[in-house]
Amino acid sequence: MKTTLHLGQTLHFTKSPFEVPPGEAVHHETNGAVLVKEGKVAALGQADVLKAAHPEAGIQNHGQHLILPGFIDAHAHFPQTAIIASWGKRLIDWLNAYTFPEEARFHDAAYAAKIAEVYLDLCFDNGITTAASYCTIHPTSVDALMSAAQRRGLRWIAGKVMMDRNAPENLRDTAQKGYDESKALLEKWHGVGRLGYAITPRFAPTSSEAQLEAAGALWAEHPACVMQTHLSEQTEEIAWVRSLFPSARDYVDVYQSTGLTGPGAIMGHAIHLSDREWSALAETGTHIAHCPTSNTFIGSGLFDMARAQTLTIPTGLATDVGAGSSFSMLRTMAAAYEISQLRGQPLHPAQLLWLATEGSARALRLDTKIGSLKPGMEADLITLDLASTAAIAQRQSRATNIWEEIFPTLMMGDDRATKVLVH
Ligand code: GUN
Ligand code: ZN
C-alpha cells in the first residue's frame, strides 16, 4: 500500500472538550499534515516537518480545508432512507404510517441491496465513514447492508431489528426466532473485515419481556458486540412502556432487568429520564446516542447533554435517519447546538466536532480504532471546506480565530463542505 501525505489545516483533540476548556483540548495546525500508511495514521504534525521526513510519500494538498477523522453516526435506520422527511406525525403514528410499511419491503433482497447502496452513497457524500445502522426484522436487510459496506471497505455496525409484538404480523419474529436469526447474523458478520454486529431489540414496546431477555442472553454470550435500542424518546411511548411492563420501576429498569444495560449498550434518545434513570445509566456504564434532528422533527423533546456529560455517560451524535431529517452530520451538529441553546447551555464548536467524531467512537466502543487523528488510528479521513457556499464564505472571511472560521460551516454547511479522502 502506498504512503500518502495529506496537507491542510489539522485539528486534533488531545482531550475531551467536555473535560477541559476547548482551548486546552485541541491542537490546531494551519499548515498541518497527516501521514497515512497502510490505511492507518502514521504521523501527524507540521507540513514542512513531515514533508522533509517522508520524501517517499505521495502528496495530496487540500489547501486550507480542515482534515478531520470521518464523522461517525451513532444511530441510524438505513431502511428509512426512502421515507425521510415524512410529514406531520409523532413517534408511534410515524412508525405505523410510514416506517413499518416501508420496512416490510426489505424481505426483498434486491430492494434491500438497492437502498443499502443509496444509503451508503449518502453517508459518503456527507463525510460519514462509520455508522451504527438498524436494519429491519429481515436477515436479508442485514446481509444487504453488511455486504455493501464490506465491498466499500467500511468500518460499519449493523443489526437485525427484533420485534415480537405491537408491529404488523409481517414484521414480527418471536423471542426464539429473533434470538436464532440474530445469532446466525452475528456469527456470519461480526469481525468480518471491519464490520461489527449490533444486537438490536427495537425498543421495549415491540418486544415481549421474553424477547428482551433473549437479546440480553445473546449479548451475554457475545459481549464484544454492541447492543442498541431506543429509550425514553416521547412521553406517550413512556406511558405505553409503563402499561406494558407494570412491575418495572421505570423505562431504564425494563432494560436493566433484562441484561440490556452496561458498557456497549447504546440507548437512542434518552430524553425524558428520572433522577433514578440517569443514575442507573451512569452506574451501569450505559451509553447514549443523541439524535437532535429527529428529536425536533417528530417533536420528542430537548436532550440534556450537560447532565450526560456531568455523569460522564459516553454520548455520541446521531442522525437517526429517517425520523432524523438529514443525512448530514453538519446539520446534526447544528440541531444539537440549537437544542443546547434552548436548554441554556450552548455547545462550543469544539464540543460539537468532538461529539461527531471521538464522542461517537466512544459511544460505539470503537475509540481505539477510529474517531481521532492519533497515530495508529484507522485513516478514515475527511476534509471540511470552510467556505463551501457564498453565505458561509462571506461569514468565514470575518473570522478572527479558528472556531469562528469553523462554526459557520457547522451551522450552515451540507454535503458541499465534506469530502471523504481516498488513499
Ligand atoms: N423507536 C422505535 N423505533 C424507532 C424508529 O425507527 N425511529 C425512532 N426515532 N424511534 C423509534
Ligand atoms: Zn432510531
Side-chain angles (χ1 to χ4, degrees):
M1 248 187 200
K2 63 181 194 267
T3 305
T4 307
L5 190 61
H6 292 279
L7 308 180
Q9 297 201 65
T10 56
L11 200 65
H12 172 57
F13 290 100
T14 51
K15 299 206 173 73
S16 160
F18 288 99
E19 285 162 14
V20 297
E24 291 170 30
V26 184
H27 185 78
H28 169 237
E29 288 286 355
T30 309
N31 294 304
V34 184
L35 184 75
V36 175
K37 215 179 206 167
E38 287 168 8
K40 296 214 166 142
V41 175
L44 173 70
Q46 289 172 345
D48 289 349
V49 174
L50 289 188
K51 264 201 275 190
H54 298 279
E56 79 287 2
I59 302 250
Q60 283 193 29
N61 192 342
H62 307 290
Q64 284 307 295
H65 293 188
L66 202 59
I67 304 172
L68 293 171
F71 294 141
I72 302 169
D73 182 354
H75 175 131
H77 300 256
F78 100 87
Q80 296 169 14
T81 297
I83 54 129
I84 193 169
S86 292
W87 185 85
K89 307 271 187 210
R90 287 174 63 78
L91 175 62
I92 307 303
D93 288 343
W94 175 87
L95 284 170
N96 288 318
Y98 302 122
T99 309
F100 290 155
E102 177 63 13
E103 292 195 7
R105 302 181 66 176
F106 283 72
H107 71 92
D108 175 354
Y111 186 68
K114 182 180 130 189
I115 299 295
E117 296 294 345
V118 172
Y119 168 70
L120 290 179
D121 284 348
L122 287 163
C123 288
F124 186 89
D125 290 346
N126 284 287
I128 294 170
T129 50
T130 295
S133 307
Y134 286 58
C135 301
T136 66
I137 197 85
H138 315 96
T140 45
S141 68
V142 179
D143 289 338
L145 184 59
M146 289 297 209
S147 47
Q150 188 185 26
R151 275 195 300 279
R152 296 176 190 223
L154 299 172
R155 183 163 286 291
W156 217 263
I157 293 179
K160 171 200 131 73
V161 154
M162 303 163 83
M163 289 199 280
D164 68 348
R165 64 170 169 175
N166 294 322
E169 219 228 304
N170 59 350
L171 284 180
R172 287 202 303 263
D173 51 18
T174 63
Q176 189 62 46
K177 192 173 178 206
Y179 173 93
D180 291 343
E181 288 182 344
S182 299
K183 183 174 158 70
L185 289 163
L186 186 162
E187 285 168 356
K188 182 172 180 183
W189 291 112
H190 187 72
V192 173
R194 301 171 74 204
L195 304 174
Y197 192 81
I199 296 163
T200 311
R202 184 181 208 115
F203 71 153
T206 50
S207 286
S208 63
E209 191 165 355
Q211 180 162 74
L212 295 177
E213 277 168 359
L218 183 60
W219 195 27
E221 289 156 25
H222 299 277
C225 293
V226 293
M227 190 294 302
Q228 56 184 357
T229 190
H230 297 85
L231 170 68
S232 291
E233 182 177 0
Q234 294 206 339
T235 49
E236 303 91 318
E237 169 210 5
I238 294 163
W240 195 19
V241 169
R242 201 172 296 127
S243 71
L244 290 169
F245 296 90
S247 57
R249 283 174 290 181
D250 46 45
Y251 202 158
V252 168
D253 194 38
V254 172
Y255 295 139
Q256 212 175 348
S257 63
T258 48
L260 296 173
T261 50
I266 308 151
M267 300 291 163
H269 308 289
I271 298 170
H272 309 281
L273 300 176
S274 66
D275 289 348
R276 193 210 82 82
E277 289 178 295
W278 276 111
S279 302
L281 292 182
E283 280 158 20
T284 55
T286 302
H287 304 183
I288 292 176
H290 173 36
C291 310
T293 71
S294 169
N295 298 162
T296 53
F297 185 73
I298 59 169
S300 302
L302 306 177
F303 176 67
D304 192 348
M305 179 64 78
R307 190 153 187 189
Q309 294 297 339
T310 303
L311 290 169
T312 67
I313 294 174
T315 302
L317 194 62
T319 64
D320 193 27
V321 160
S325 56
S326 178
F327 291 91
S328 167
M329 287 297 279
L330 295 173
R331 176 69 202 111
T332 304
M333 284 182 248
Y337 175 75
E338 287 156 6
I339 287 177
S340 71
Q341 276 284 47
L342 288 168
R343 279 203 161 268
Q345 300 154 332
L347 289 165
H348 187 277
Q351 294 173 325
L352 293 167
L353 273 179
W354 186 86
L355 283 169
T357 53
E358 197 163 337
S360 282
R362 285 192 192 181
L364 302 183
R365 285 204 303 198
L366 291 175
D367 51 306
T368 58
K369 295 184 167 66
I370 55 170
S372 155
L373 296 182
K374 212 166 43 193
M377 305 299 275
E378 294 170 4
D380 292 334
L381 306 181
I382 61 169
T383 56
L384 203 56
D385 177 356
L386 301 179
S388 59
T389 68
I392 295 172
Q394 61 85 36
R395 176 64 185 91
Q396 186 237 12
S397 70
R398 295 276 292 270
T400 56
N401 62 47
I402 183 66
W403 299 118
E404 272 189 34
E405 274 200 69
I406 291 172
F407 195 55
T409 290
L410 302 191
M411 290 305 104
M412 300 195 286
D414 56 26
D415 56 358
R416 288 169 286 186
T418 47
K419 185 172 159 216
V420 175
L421 298 184
V422 181
H423 309 292

